[in-house]
Amino acid sequence: MTRRRTRALLAPAACAAVVVGVLVAGGQDDPPAPTAPTAPTAAEEVTHADFCAGFGRLASARSTVLSAPGPDAVASLRAAAREVGDLARSAELPAEARRGATTVADSLAALPDTAGLDEVVAVDDLAGPAEADAAALSDFIGATCDTSAPPG
């Protein structure tokens, strides 16, 4: 995946929701503060809407790190990434999209507490099979997630 396409996967734009290649955070000048993850419990069914909302929170948290880096922002990003990884493993997603989501989520969740912008952006540099899986994730989110609502 090219750096630009992966950034589009997680980068916020000035107005809508979060969708790979189309996902954006809230219609404000500053991205909204990420909310605490609210993933379903193991006993609950993980819906596509749950996954989309979690991915929206991840994109919002990444936007916050890029605009106002710091340990708290990185901690929120890592928490949102762990949530998306859990959601992706539990939701009924196409196999390639699941691998794309877990690759991105696991890479972000593994960032150190002291991660800087370069380390966060380096996650965008996917290649080989991971690039194809991230493209499948982008396609899934574009086709499935409501891009007109802010992340929930």
Side-chain angles (χ1 to χ4, degrees):
M1 167 176 301
T2 65
R3 175 174 266 192
R4 182 177 22 199
R5 179 138 187 210
T6 305
R7 278 195 191 127
L9 176 74
L10 295 173
C15 68
V18 178
V19 177
V20 174
V22 191
L23 287 182
V24 290
Q28 304 170 346
D29 290 336
D30 294 324
T35 58
T38 56
T41 65
E44 297 174 340
E45 178 182 340
V46 176
T47 66
H48 288 166
D50 295 330
F51 176 80
C52 293
F55 200 87
R57 288 186 291 276
L58 175 62
S60 179
R62 184 180 185 277
S63 174
T64 299
V65 169
L66 296 179
S67 64
D72 291 341
V74 172
S76 293
L77 174 63
R78 292 175 63 201
R82 285 189 297 274
E83 176 195 12
V84 166
D86 291 345
L87 290 168
R89 288 175 183 90
S90 300
E92 289 193 32
L93 304 177
E96 297 85 2
R98 180 187 323 283
R99 285 192 305 266
T102 57
T103 297
V104 170
D106 292 349
S107 297
L108 291 170
L111 289 171
D113 292 333
T114 58
L117 294 177
D118 290 342
E119 291 167 291
V120 173
V121 172
V123 173
D124 297 343
D125 293 327
L126 300 176
E131 181 178 3
D133 292 342
L137 173 61
S138 178
D139 293 344
F140 172 80
I141 290 175
T144 307
C145 298
D146 178 4
T147 62
S148 66

